[in-house]
């Protein structure tokens, strides 16, 4: 029998290495919001600093919360509960997102959660990890919990969770002004979340979802301008795919051809993601459980030229097919699997042909009856 020997990773080295995974600030916040959505939160409040002496960022939700045992597991790198009990609506994947995303931006991560009326909290602090050279968290006492920033958010709620970021060392080193940089991130994050979670914000989720950034309520964008009278909605294609357990899953492909720019109001331009991106962001919009993963790419299936600037294709994939799409930890990249490339090409071909018609013959509606020659 082979001799086995434990070889545990060095805590401070691994945690500092994982900080360089490539999260942007906005993508890191979106990863935390994913957890709130998975926890069935109806209200999510992001707190950005309004005072230079109080530079912290928090994501607060009124979801189902966690008891102390569940929170301890959630704070673990590679959460066992996350991998063993994923629901169809779960937006997580690896059990790493909350920790990796948070500590990519700050040195101190505090998570406080309330369930069945009981509060518990743990803290990952890189200063402690580097001092102890081991996987030690702060197990917060009642007195420490009472001092957690924004803990009063949970006072009138039966359940919920607060994720608090403090000590933004990387921002301090790169800019020298944490308060000013967080202000910039506040605006960019609001725009980013309005796109990434636009289907939830527009009422497509299981529960109505409200996201506030300080006192500003986000409204979802509409990259397909579905309600515009000149948007051309093409035929939806449903592609049956078997998952790793042999169960049939459906990937749905819905092409849209957007109106010509002259037909857009100022609000249409805003909803579509901005006029500067109107033609540049054509292509696939990949959604995982209605959460936007990647957008504005053809995955090399179709040429990019001046005639197909208005075709956008909504692709819905269930989380049970993550392994096929190579969804990364940041949930900001996906690779098109060969097994469905051919079927998706049909949808692309159909939408691009119509997009070319919109450009070349703008103002003329598509023929409804192919047996009649219209003048």
């Amino acid at each position: 029998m082979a001799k086995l020997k434990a070889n545990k990773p060095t805590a401070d080295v691994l945690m500092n290495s994982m900080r360089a995974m490539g999260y942007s600030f906005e993508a890191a916040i979106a990863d935390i919001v994913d957890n709130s959505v998975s926890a069935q939160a109806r209200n999510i409040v992001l707190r950005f600093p309004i005072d230079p002496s109080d530079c912290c960022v928090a994501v607060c939700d009124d979801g189902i919360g966690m008891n102390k045992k569940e929170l301890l597991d959630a704070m673990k790198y590679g959460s066992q509960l996350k991998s063993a009990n994923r629901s169809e609506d779960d937006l997580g994947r690896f059990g790493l997102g909350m920790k990796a995303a948070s500590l990519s931006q700050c040195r101190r991560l505090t998570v406080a959660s309330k369930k069945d009326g009981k509060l518990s909290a743990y803290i990952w602090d890189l200063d402690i990890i580097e001092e102890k050279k081991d996987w030690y968290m702060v197990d917060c006492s009642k007195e420490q919990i009472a001092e957690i920033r924004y803990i009063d958010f949970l006072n009138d709620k039966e359940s919920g969770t607060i994720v608090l970021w403090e000590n933004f060392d990387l921002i301090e080193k790169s800019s020298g002004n944490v308060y000013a940089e967080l202000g910039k991130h506040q605006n960019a994050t609001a725009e980013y979340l309005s796109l990434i979670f636009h289907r939830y914000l527009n009422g497509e989720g299981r529960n109505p979802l409200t996201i506030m950034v300080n006192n500003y309520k986000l409204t979802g964008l509409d990259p397909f301008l579905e309600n515009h009278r000149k948007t051309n909605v093409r035929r939806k294609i449903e592609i049956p795919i078997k998952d790793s357990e042999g169960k049939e899953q459906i990937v749905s492909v819905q092409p849209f051809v957007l109106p010509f720019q002259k037909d857009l109001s100022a609000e249409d331009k805003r909803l579509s993601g901005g006029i500067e991106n109107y033609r540049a962001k054509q292509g696939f919009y990949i959604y995982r459980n209605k959460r936007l993963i990647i957008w504005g790419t053809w995955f090399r299936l179709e040429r990019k030229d001046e005639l197909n600037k208005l075709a956008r294709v909504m692709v819905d994939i269930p989380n049970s097919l993550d392994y096929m799409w190579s969804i990364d930890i940041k949930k900001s990249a996906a690779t098109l699997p060969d097994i469905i490339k051919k079927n998706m090409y049909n949808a692309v071909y159909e939408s691009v042909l119509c997009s070319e018609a919109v450009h070349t013959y703008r103002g003329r509606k598509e023929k409804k009856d192919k047996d009649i020659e219209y003048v």
Side-chain angles (χ1 to χ4, degrees), residues 132-150:
K132 300 295 185 182
K133 308 293 183 184
D134 210 341
W135 303 91
Y136 286 108
M137 292 190 304
V138 176
D139 182 356
C140 295
S141 64
K142 288 183 178 180
E143 292 74 21
Q144 288 173 309
I145 291 175
E147 295 176 357
I148 293 174
R149 197 74 173 86
Y150 302 116

Side-chain angles (χ1 to χ4, degrees), residues 18 23 76-79 93-101 329:
M18 292 192 71
Y23 274 99
K76 183 190 302 181
Y77 276 71
S79 167
R93 185 182 182 196
F94 298 99
L96 290 171
M98 180 179 69
K99 288 78 63 176
I329 291 177

Side-chain angles (χ1 to χ4, degrees), residues 257-261 278-279 282 305-311 352-364:
V257 180
L258 276 60
F260 197 71
Q261 290 185 32
Y278 192 64
R279 303 199 326 161
Q282 84 280 20
D305 59 30
E306 290 303 312
L307 290 181
N308 58 27
K309 295 296 185 182
L310 298 183
V352 168
L353 279 182
C354 186
S355 176
E356 292 177 350
V358 169
H359 270 283
T360 308
Y361 310 107
R362 58 181 180 269
R364 189 179 76 185

